[in-house]
Each structure stands twice: as structure tokens, then as C-alpha cells.
Amino acid sequence: MATVKDQLIMNLLKEEQTPQNKITVVGIGAVGMACALSILVKELADELALFDVMEEDKLKGEVMRLQHCSLFLKTPKIVSGKDYHVTANSKLVIITAEACQQEGESPPNLVQHNVNIFKLIIASVVKYSSNCTLLIVSNPVDILTYVAWKLSGFPQNRVIGSGCNLDSARFCSLVGERLGVHPLSCHGWVLGEHGDSSVPVWSGVNVAGILLKNLHPALGTDADKEQWKEVHRQAVDSASEVIKPKSYSSWAIGLSVADLAESITKNLRRVHPISTMIKGFYGIEDEVFLSVPCILGQNGISDVMKVTLMPEEEARLKKSADELWRIQKQLLL
């Protein structure tokens, strides 16, 4: 007896179900799920895969949350699994997985713990998606992007750290708040290492092409009576301010990652402040990853913008590079 489907539909063509624009998220915690939902809302993939080593029931529950939104989304296939086979044929693999710091665990030991996790993740991802682009979100993002590059054997253009993309967005948002202007009309960069030692490029902050430094030469300095340095401090501290009451921060990073994924999957060639191998720039001689403005498209990072920095900005970038290299030299890859 014919099934309802057979009575309703006459098949005319046997199609291969190989995805053309598959995105995988590795690590389905709060950040991973925020990335997944943001990617779905922006309609960037024809298949979204979620991978995690969490309990099967919890993983199933997380993917069901997204599948039940299918009527409102345009991604036809959402899958999940604890076997890396689910990641096969991905165009873009986003890694958010990271170790939680244990009580009494030193920062160097935590970094090495994450390196050990990455050894398994990267080898498995490369096995099933050898032509993918890797987008690293896990922290410390600059060091782990370097680790992913070393472990994968991929060319540097295809190993990208989310870096200061969100730092710069927060920075522009706070500049806009001070000026009463929408953040999209405020242009400025936060470069270098993601986090406390990031470098705000005050010399380039502008609205409608008008450099704020020309209007207020003391901008961002200790002599600045308007205390614009507070904008960068607030941008750096904002994540911890969110984490204090909630224990985690996810929505902003999810949207930031989806913004990067859009530039890659749609070959937009937009400029983003993201973490890339910076050896040879600004007097840096070691293999470290730091955020600089990069053109991002279907092949990953195709170009790096030659931003002119003030001497003090360049010195801070170099200091971050030296500290990262000191840590990286001690890692067991």
C-alpha cells in the first residue's frame, strides 16, 4: 500500500545531498548556541551541524530547540552529534569549545589544557573537512588561533581568530553613545590582543570622515579632560560586567561571529579587526596572532590593511606580541 508521501509526491530526480554551504559549530555551550542561532537568523548555511561531547540527551535537546524554529528559518537541515562525522563537508568550522578553569589551576596550565583539547578537535575537523576555514572563538583566542594553525597545517588565510571584532563593535557603540550618533556611523578600531591589553587606535576614530583627534588632539591621552580613555576601558570591561550577574556572555559574541561568517560565506570582502598571523608587521618577528584590519571573503583572509599607528600604539602592539610569544614557546603541541 502506498504511503501518504508516495501518494502526495512523485520523485523525478535522485539528488546527491551534499551541502554547498555547511557551517559547523564545535562546542554547544552558551556561546556556541548563540553563534548557531545568529547564523540561522542570518540565513548563512544550507546545513548547520552542532558538535559537542556533552550528554546525548542534552545535545538532542539543544538541537531540538533550533529545529522547532524551522518554520521561521531558511536553513533546511540542522544536525548534531558526538561523532565528528557530523562535521563532514563543512565550508566553515567555528570552534567555541574551551576548558573551564579549575580551582587552583594556574593560567599556563589552563592554556595547556585548552591546547590538549584542540589537539583532538583540530585533527578530527581536518579529517572530515580538509578544505574548510577555521574560525576560532575559544579563549585565549589569539593563542588558540596560533595553536589551531600549527595543528591543522592549513595556510594562515584559512585560520582566523574572532579577535577584536567584538571589542571594536563595543568601542564604536560607546563612542556613538557619547556623541548621540548611531554606532554604524562611528568608525574606529581596537587592535592587538583580545582583552585587557587591546589597543584602541585613537588616531583613526572618525564620524563621517571627520577625525575626532583633529577636533580634540588630547583624545585618548592622560591629558584628555573629557576622559575618552574611559570608552576603551568600558569596552574591555563590558564582558565582565555582563558575566557578573549572568555567569556568562553570549549574545554579542554570537552576533559578532555570525557577522564574520557572513563575510566568508557571501564573499563580501569586508574589513574586520580579526586575529591573523602578524609576523613581519610593526617590527614583530615571531609567529603570533593579533587583530589587525583584514579583508575577509570566501578564501578567508585575503589581505591585511596597512594601518599607520602612532609610536605608542605600535609599542603596545609589540609588547602584546612579545608576551604571547613567551607563552606560546612553553606550549606542548
Side-chain angles (χ1 to χ4, degrees), residues 47-114:
E47 181 176 333
L48 177 66
L50 308 179
F51 174 88
D52 206 301
V53 295
M54 66 172 59
E55 295 177 8
E56 194 72 47
D57 287 347
K58 185 175 180 182
L59 182 59
K60 182 180 178 181
E62 293 289 21
V63 76
M64 284 176 64
R65 291 171 63 195
L66 300 179
Q67 289 171 336
H68 292 171
C69 301
S70 294
L71 182 64
F72 314 110
L73 304 169
K74 300 287 178 64
T75 301
K77 189 174 183 181
I78 304 171
V79 297
S80 67
K82 297 177 66 173
D83 188 313
Y84 278 98
H85 185 267
V86 76
T87 70
N89 301 311
S90 294
K91 182 175 182 179
L92 174 64
V93 176
I94 298 164
I95 300 177
T96 69
E98 62 185 47
C100 295
Q101 189 167 14
Q102 303 300 312
E103 186 175 350
E105 185 176 27
S106 68
N109 285 347
L110 177 60
V111 174
Q112 184 61 54
H113 191 176
N114 277 303

Side-chain angles (χ1 to χ4, degrees), residues 247-273:
S247 301
Y248 63 89
S249 171
S250 60
W251 294 120
I253 187 62
L255 287 167
S256 174
V257 168
D259 183 53
L260 299 176
E262 184 176 32
S263 287
I264 295 169
T265 57
K266 295 184 179 180
N267 194 30
L268 295 181
R269 292 184 59 78
R270 290 187 296 182
V271 180
H272 296 272

Side-chain angles (χ1 to χ4, degrees), residues 191-206:
L191 305 181
E193 184 180 4
H194 169 61
D196 295 350
S197 64
S198 60
V199 181
V201 185
W202 292 108
S203 54
V205 178
N206 73 89

Side-chain angles (χ1 to χ4, degrees), residues 156-170:
Q156 62 191 57
N157 62 292
R158 284 170 46 207
V159 184
I160 302 158
S162 56
C164 291
N165 197 58
L166 180 54
D167 306 63
S168 294
R170 287 169 169 155

